[in-house]
Amino acid sequence: MSRHSDCSMYSASRGGFRRGWRLLIVLASASVVGCQQSATIGPVAQEEQARKIAEAFASASADAGGDEAGDEAGGTGWATLKGRIVFVGDPPEMPPYNATKDMATCAPGGTAPPQEWLIVGDDGGLANVAIYARKVSRVHESAEPPEEEVVFDQKQCVFLSHVCPIVIGQTVMIKNSDPVGHNTNVQGQNAFNQTVPADGSTPYEPQREESSPAKVTCSIHPWMVSYMLPRENGYVSVTGKDGAFELANLPAGETIEIQVWHESAPGGAVIAEGETADRLGWTNKGRFKIKLEEDQTEEITIQVPASALSG
Amino acid sequence: MKYTTPFLRLLPVIGAVVASVGCQESKTPDFRLNMVRMVSTETDGDYQQEIANVLDGLFGTPDQPIAPAGSGLDQAKLNLAAGPAWSDDAGVNHGLYRKHCVHCHGVTGDGRGPTARFLNPYPRDYRMGLFKFKSNAAADRPTDEDLHRILWNGAPGTSMPSFSLLASAEIEALVEYVKYLAIRGEVERALTSYVYDELGEDEDDEGRVYRIPLNPVDGEYAEDQREAIADIVADVSETWQAANESVVVPDEDAIPELDNRTAEERAASIVKGRELFYDKRANCYTCHGPTGLGDGQTTDYDMWTKEQLELIAATDSLADSVAEEREADDLDEDDLRELDRSEQLLSDREDVIATLYPIRNAIPRNLRAGVYRGGRRRIDIYWRIHQGIPGSPMPGVGATLSDEEIWNLVDYVLSLPYEAASIPQRALPVNAETLVN
């Protein structure tokens, strides 16, 4: 913005100037302004450091293929982490979805089904929390992709699985149990957007792991929303209204980082509170680390305050 | 001619002014960061600087691009497209991107060149790797041929002109440079995820908090980070190299692309296509409107805009929670530090939001206009219907309809501009219902 001072130097007009000269001067100062960079924010690369990085990568191809193993090897056997996720506070009442068309189907009786961005069960269980292992060195056969399909249905213009975990390798059968047409638009790394005919279905096979659930919408009924979470292994659980989760047969003897996600937490990262969260060393990314012994079944109750779900 | 004398007297002054103006601002352009992404992912200033360094280390600068190892990009083509515009003695044109593209698509390929703000639609931002008009599976990156086609034809109905007057080697160089900027943008996005997921602050055994820098050159994390970054580049590039594998080729037994049907056959196909247009399987009318004027579903947004809207919504709720925190009187030292951090993030986000262009809805195409942004050949329309238009709300029907049915729709869509405007629609019951709702 400092260039403005240069312009004013040129535009300080002398009284006797005629119209034509003023025009010229205005043009000249306009061209000075025109040279300005538009408002840009954020840093640019530091030349010296960028050069070093370029050199490091240019020579890196020589020593490629290093030692993959080595970190945290050694555990044997399996262990289970399970428990409940509990909402602390007064849950808000969910307003109905803002249905605006196909009302006979989407809002039977005049009211659409309630929204689902914060569902709490009668005994305080927090629903639609995804809890999953970020990285593991070994995978138990029970966490391999199951043979059966994942059914992802929609009825009354609501996705019936609000948060849908998928193990890569599984086929998702996207169904439509409504008498109106839908389309299912999955964002993220496994982008997909196909129509799903009334009372019909279409298969979908995500190939790439997401680090947090990908949003699913319908272009025809823009109020519809849900999430899909494709993971490399079955160490993923989504809570129901009881708030219960179970990650069975985790590799024992290694430190595993667990991610806890909810759509209404800022950035998805659920920040728990209370004694258990403190003991687990809960981070502001909604994660904690745990190391289980062989055949151990660790049971925990995680408390989530209302303030953590304000996103 | 009364201006002549003073004009001559002032000529040297004017000359000096013009000369001084002309000499200014010859600074070489820099790549800029994707600030929407940075503040959305809460990437702080230090990490932003480090990401900028890594990106320039991997990809070079606008004047001296580097095709990173494993990217599959062609260095010679990049050299021809990059840098300032000039022609050598042999008549070869250099700096093609800056000569032909930069004023709309921007130095970084962010779709924010100097003219971008005044265009509708806004120029494509390459940095998600998302391109609308292509021949292969929706989730995949465009083929070279797809990018070549849009450079050759332009995008009718938008500000994107045809570059068919350029030599084909020049178009190929530009295609390569667009891929380079797209891959660079995708790597930038992946780096912010990597920083969020793997770096940040950690605690040592004595409870001291320390920061893990993004520094692939020296320090204890350098080697791991070099490997991780090379993996990111390989992952992103792989999706570009596989683009040709998923090209959608219509069934030969269905209606051929070269159309040698009789007028009656074509009319019968149009009737079938019209039925499908209002059918609950294809569902075209819900967005394109009961009369095909593009007025059915006009409140949705494209993917580029949705990212901005999500940032705006997240910032609004952050502002609310910061305001609430400020009111509280029982804050301890940790809370205050957290509040400081939130206030900083809030002000960073507000700065970024202030730079955004006005938000626009994604409006379905008016099918009666006879203007087709991705090309007007039957195969172009076929691809749009089969796979949808990535980045836009338009879904595909390839998994639902047969090839023949898709060709029926193509016939109907191409006939719509010639359908009599005075009788736009029969009063189909389905239309009445839509209009009432």
Side-chain angles (χ1 to χ4, degrees), chain A residues 84-87 116-120 124-132 162-165 213 229 236-247 258-265 268-271 282 286 302 304 309:
Chain A
R84 282 186 76 217
I85 299 182
V86 181
F87 181 81
E116 295 156 287
W117 47 268
L118 212 177
I119 302 286
V120 177
L126 179 59
N128 296 323
V129 177
I131 173 164
Y132 46 102
H162 192 63
V163 180
C164 179
L229 177 57
V236 49
S237 180
V238 173
T239 60
K241 274 190 168 182
D242 56 358
F245 69 88
E246 177 167 351
L247 301 176
I258 306 286
Q259 173 79 54
V260 184
W261 177 97
H262 187 278
E263 66 175 300
S264 292
V270 173
I271 315 290
W282 206 278
I302 297 167
V304 179
L309 301 177

Side-chain angles (χ1 to χ4, degrees), chain B residues 199-240:
Chain B
L199 311 186
E201 284 177 348
D202 211 343
E203 231 172 79
D204 66 12
D205 294 339
E206 280 124 53
R208 272 182 311 227
V209 177
Y210 63 97
R211 172 182 182 277
I212 305 174
L214 175 65
N215 183 347
V217 178
D218 37 40
E220 55 176 313
Y221 308 103
E223 202 180 316
D224 284 353
Q225 292 187 0
R226 265 206 307 278
E227 247 172 63
I229 293 168
D231 282 350
I232 287 174
V233 174
D235 274 359
V236 169
S237 308
E238 196 186 282
T239 61
W240 284 87

Side-chain angles (χ1 to χ4, degrees), chain B residues 305-324:
Chain B
T305 309
K306 276 180 183 165
E307 183 170 51
Q308 298 176 359
L309 289 171
E310 271 166 27
L311 172 63
I312 292 169
T315 305
D316 286 348
S317 69
L318 179 65
D320 289 347
S321 73
V322 164
E324 214 170 277

Side-chain angles (χ1 to χ4, degrees), chain B residues 123-364:
Chain B
R124 178 64 49 248
D125 172 354
Y126 309 142
R127 298 170 303 170
M128 284 195 197
L130 266 182
F131 293 82
K132 284 183 171 177
F133 304 116
K134 55 197 202 68
S135 58
N136 59 0
D140 289 345
R141 299 301 175 237
T143 65
D144 285 8
E145 211 181 319
D146 291 331
L147 294 175
H148 198 287
R149 189 181 316 111
I150 200 153
L151 275 163
W152 184 267
N153 292 332
T158 78
S159 305
M160 172 76 183
S162 157
F163 290 93
S164 60
L165 292 178
L166 300 193
S168 59
E170 295 184 345
I171 294 192
E172 276 163 30
L174 285 171
V175 165
E176 200 71 1
Y177 199 73
V178 168
K179 285 165 66 181
Y180 159 82
L181 289 175
I183 291 173
R184 187 183 178 284
E186 288 182 83
V187 168
E188 177 179 12
R189 299 178 74 84
L191 282 174
T192 58
S193 301
Y194 172 69
V195 164
Y196 179 86
D197 281 340
E198 309 294 338
L199 311 186
E201 284 177 348
D202 211 343
E203 231 172 79
D204 66 12
D205 294 339
E206 280 124 53
R208 272 182 311 227
V209 177
Y210 63 97
R211 172 182 182 277
I212 305 174
L214 175 65
N215 183 347
V217 178
D218 37 40
E220 55 176 313
Y221 308 103
E223 202 180 316
D224 284 353
Q225 292 187 0
R226 265 206 307 278
E227 247 172 63
I229 293 168
D231 282 350
I232 287 174
V233 174
D235 274 359
V236 169
S237 308
E238 196 186 282
T239 61
W240 284 87
Q241 286 158 17
N244 282 321
E245 289 165 22
S246 67
V247 172
V248 179
V249 182
D251 206 351
E252 276 187 38
D253 296 336
I255 297 167
E257 193 195 333
L258 273 174
D259 198 350
N260 48 11
R261 291 168 295 167
T262 64
E264 287 76 25
E265 285 169 335
R266 201 172 301 133
S269 173
I270 289 173
V271 169
K272 279 190 202 158
R274 182 195 180 97
E275 272 163 25
L276 285 163
F277 190 86
Y278 295 102
D279 172 289
K280 300 246 184 254
R281 293 187 300 153
N283 249 312
C284 312
Y285 76 99
T286 48
C287 293
H288 289 283
T291 50
L293 287 167
D295 53 358
Q297 176 60 261
T298 54
T299 54
D300 211 343
Y301 301 94
D302 64 29
M303 290 292 295
W304 298 271
T305 309
K306 276 180 183 165
E307 183 170 51
Q308 298 176 359
L309 289 171
E310 271 166 27
L311 172 63
I312 292 169
T315 305
D316 286 348
S317 69
L318 179 65
D320 289 347
S321 73
V322 164
E324 214 170 277
E325 284 277 294
R326 276 202 204 111
E327 297 293 306
D329 46 10
D330 56 343
L331 298 179
D332 63 23
E333 214 168 284
D334 280 353
D335 294 336
L336 285 171
R337 211 175 308 126
E338 190 58 29
L339 181 58
D340 275 354
R341 210 187 60 86
S342 298
E343 283 179 340
Q344 180 62 46
L345 179 63
L346 181 61
S347 99
D348 289 349
R349 283 185 172 178
E350 283 168 348
D351 289 348
V352 172
I353 289 171
T355 67
L356 299 179
Y357 300 156
I359 299 286
R360 292 185 185 134
N361 286 109
I363 306 294

Side-chain angles (χ1 to χ4, degrees), chain A residues 3 10 21 31-32 35 42-46 50 54 101 134-135 179 181 183 191 193-195 197 202 219-220 285 287, chain B residues 7 20-21 25 32 48-49 52-53 56-57 139 196-199 280-281 283 297 386 393-400:
Chain A
R3 298 264 174 257
Y10 296 114
W21 300 118
S31 63
V32 174
C35 292
V44 296
Q46 295 156 319
K101 67 163 130 175
R134 294 192 62 227
K135 252 181 236 155
N183 72 299
N193 188 5
Q194 286 273 328
T195 55
T202 192
S219 314
I220 299 169
K285 292 177 183 173
R287 300 172 183 167
Chain B
F7 180 82
S20 71
V21 169
E25 295 289 331
R32 310 297 308 210
Q48 287 174 20
Q49 181 65 64
N53 293 346
D56 269 25
Y196 179 86
D197 281 340
E198 309 294 338
L199 311 186
K280 300 246 184 254
R281 293 187 300 153
N283 249 312
Q297 176 60 261
H386 193 288
M394 165 88 183
V397 294
T400 303

